[in-house]
Amino acid sequence: MTSDPSNLQIAAAFDELADLYELDGAIVHRVLAYRGAAKAAREATVSIAALTRQGTVTSLPGIGKTLEEKIVALLDTGEIPAAVKLRAKYPAGLLEMTRLPGLGPKRARRLFDELGIESLAMLRAAAEQQKLRDVKGFGAKFEQSVLSSIDAGIGERPAQRVLLHRALTAGEQIVAALRAHPAAERVELAGSARRQADSVKDLDIIATASDPGALVRALADLELIESASAPNENAARGRTHTGLPVDLRVVAPENFGNLLQHFTGSAAHNVALREAAVRRGLHVSEYGILDDATGETLRCATEEEVYERLGLTYPEPELREDRGELAPGFVAPRLVTVEDLRGDLHMHTTASDGRNTIEEMARAALAHGYEYIAITDHSATHGFGDHVTPDELMRQIERVADVNERLGGAIRVLAGTETNILPSGAPDYDDELLAQLDWVIASVHTSFGMPAEEMTKRMVAAIEHPWIDAIGHPTGRKISSRQPYALDVDAVIDAAARSGTMLEINSAPDRRDLNDVHARAAVEGGVTLLIDSDAHGAERLEHVRWGVATARRAWVEPAHVANTRPWPQFAALRKRARK
Ligand code: DGT
Ligand code: CA
Ligand code: CA
Ligand code: ZN
């Protein structure tokens, strides 16, 4: 073999094997074992091939002895024998078919067995001739969706964007490692990662160095980097073991501000910046600011200088989306920080699907320096897994009281709930029970698919409920996997402002819901926001970082956020304090 397979190639091999076993009707545990191994390979930050050669690959979660043998075979021969055997049994086109939405291996196998379909081309022909509807479990609608999926080129998978928290975990370690290199002077992350965007296509790093070539070559040697190449003395392009591309540019110190500004973007911000500059007779590029009148190019060592020279107020990177940060009269907001938060009002314990007890969560929150927290386990109709019955919720109130006593007032723990909003808009506990709690957050966890008008009515009814203090993850989006509910967000904002109901920015890194645009509209509409971790384990309290990032992108200041307030002021914002 020429070189070792990358983690993504190993993951793809396991995914293929899982697909093949599923086509073959293998027991579900075997299929899941290979899917788990593919996931472990995709998420590993160090080289799986290197770990395998060291004999330590079984230390990774989901990789045992059997899987180790398969990886060794892959390294030694370029193939996993089981996959070779199964591939001979099933045509390659059948695997491509399994990637279409609505057609997993089981259903693809049925089309193969009953109609002999073994490729995307045959599938398309059968859909056009309306033959698929003859097979049990397939209908006219499926024929339609098959044709549109094939037309959209699904089957060849598009490049994936990575959630910010994953990109920054890698990005911050790479930056730290480069800074530690003797040739490094300044090293900064730019691009969407610096702007704290929802997701990231690639990492952009700008540096200055005493020996640029040495720093550029150092990228390839980092443990996090799978491979890198340096097209010249000043730039390198590599990728991490998780497949995230990394661009490193080493620039002259007197130009550092221009390049950092340029590569921080966003593209929309840069376009607007250039237009604003042209009106002043200046031309901005990554190399400097050209003055039409004198023909001189001004080079800026800092970003602040770039904005100052253009007569603009410096906008924090999170604001650089061309959403008013370059407008005349822009005043830089004092953006909220993680340190401004005094409490966290949404977290789960072992009473529902959390991993820690009330006391463990409280002690972890105390270590965070919080003054108050709310325990908000899932309610009776929560769709998946564990939940809290009304009786159990009464016991939960007592347990919270016990913990408050044991902690002697060091932190205030509120007895709360994350009640499910039923399709009618009512919470799924009685008002009498809700009245006995200190805090009620309400969220939609079921019946996502309602039409916008009904979903909006449902949400507004919840917002107007006399015991509901806040709405959790108000639009239900998951950044890389789920669209928001069909919802009139403006109507939700109006109702929340009118009734004094808080709207949450949920900080789970795949949610960040409300998003930046909606959170800003909420503040402008007079809504008080809440930034919560929604932690399902003590170590996840840290997730507020991602909610704060979204808040900053929404121009949010501490005064706009309920849980930046000291307890007496926060307490007074709850509906129960106004009765
Ligand atoms: P992404 O897609 O998550 O990587 O987002 P960015 O913003 O990091 O985009 P990227 O990596 O393609 O480019 C980094 C920055 O370089 C971008 O934010 C602004 C600047 N840039 C890239 N292409 C253009 C362009 O066509 N025009 C201008 N004015 N700036 C650009
Ligand atoms: Ca980028
Ligand atoms: Ca880039
Ligand atoms: Zn929750």
Side-chain angles (χ1 to χ4, degrees), residues 79-293:
E79 292 286 7
I80 300 175
V84 175
K85 223 156 84 197
L86 288 167
R87 258 190 240 127
K89 223 168 138 185
Y90 300 105
L94 200 49
L95 270 189
E96 279 174 14
M97 284 166 56
T98 65
R99 287 184 196 130
L100 293 180
L103 199 71
K106 274 210 190 71
R107 283 160 60 78
R109 173 75 190 269
R110 196 179 307 155
L111 295 179
F112 176 63
D113 290 344
E114 297 195 16
L115 299 178
I117 296 174
E118 54 173 56
S119 68
L120 288 176
M122 289 174 79
L123 182 65
R124 162 188 272 282
E128 280 168 352
Q129 293 158 25
Q130 311 195 329
K131 282 189 186 153
L132 299 179
R133 61 184 73 178
D134 298 340
V135 181
K136 188 164 169 283
F138 295 87
K141 232 172 147 175
F142 178 75
E143 287 167 350
Q144 281 305 313
S145 86
V146 157
L147 291 174
S148 67
S149 301
I150 294 177
D151 286 344
I154 294 170
E156 316 125 48
R157 298 186 172 176
Q160 294 272 313
R161 294 183 68 84
V162 175
L163 290 175
L164 179 68
H165 75 299
R166 287 196 190 283
L168 276 184
T169 303
E172 285 168 356
Q173 288 181 54
I174 293 168
V175 165
L178 290 174
R179 279 182 186 153
H181 191 275
E185 285 167 357
R186 295 204 61 179
V187 183
E188 295 290 342
L189 207 50
S192 52
R194 183 168 182 232
R195 302 196 312 278
Q196 311 277 304
D198 286 342
S199 66
V200 168
K201 175 195 68 195
D202 64 3
L203 292 172
D204 305 279
I205 300 173
I206 308 295
T208 62
S210 56
D211 180 352
L215 191 64
V216 154
R217 285 188 296 276
L219 183 71
D221 297 333
L222 301 184
E223 204 195 8
L224 285 156
I225 297 293
E226 174 199 294
S227 61
S229 63
N232 61 53
E233 279 290 285
N234 299 307
R237 174 148 251 246
R239 58 181 223 154
T240 66
H241 293 291
T242 61
L244 181 63
V246 182
D247 267 336
L248 170 65
R249 283 179 191 77
V250 183
V251 308
E254 57 273 25
N255 242 178
F256 181 75
N258 301 104
L259 278 112
L260 183 60
Q261 192 288 320
H262 175 80
F263 284 102
T264 296
S266 64
H269 174 87
N270 286 354
V271 168
L273 183 85
R274 285 170 188 203
E275 284 168 4
V278 164
R279 289 194 289 275
R280 295 178 162 85
L282 301 169
H283 288 279
V284 178
S285 75
E286 59 258 57
Y287 308 109
I289 304 173
L290 170 68
D291 189 330
D292 278 348

Side-chain angles (χ1 to χ4, degrees), residues 347-354 376-379 386-388 396 536:
M347 66 187 68
H348 299 267
T349 72
T350 48
S352 65
D353 52 357
T376 56
D377 278 303
H378 288 296
S379 58
D386 298 328
H387 55 254
V388 174
Q396 190 78 337
H536 285 65

Side-chain angles (χ1 to χ4, degrees), residues 310-366:
L310 297 174
L312 296 163
T313 302
Y314 176 84
E316 294 290 336
E318 292 94 325
L319 304 185
R320 300 185 198 168
E321 300 290 347
D322 190 24
R323 294 177 185 158
E325 74 280 7
L326 297 171
F330 165 73
V331 178
R334 195 316 228 154
L335 298 176
V336 67
T337 65
V338 167
E339 290 70 36
D340 290 319
L341 301 183
R342 293 170 189 256
D344 187 341
L345 287 302
H346 184 166
M347 66 187 68
H348 299 267
T349 72
T350 48
S352 65
D353 52 357
R355 283 182 301 280
N356 291 99
T357 63
I358 297 170
E359 181 161 349
E360 286 163 350
M361 294 306 280
R363 289 191 186 279
L366 193 56

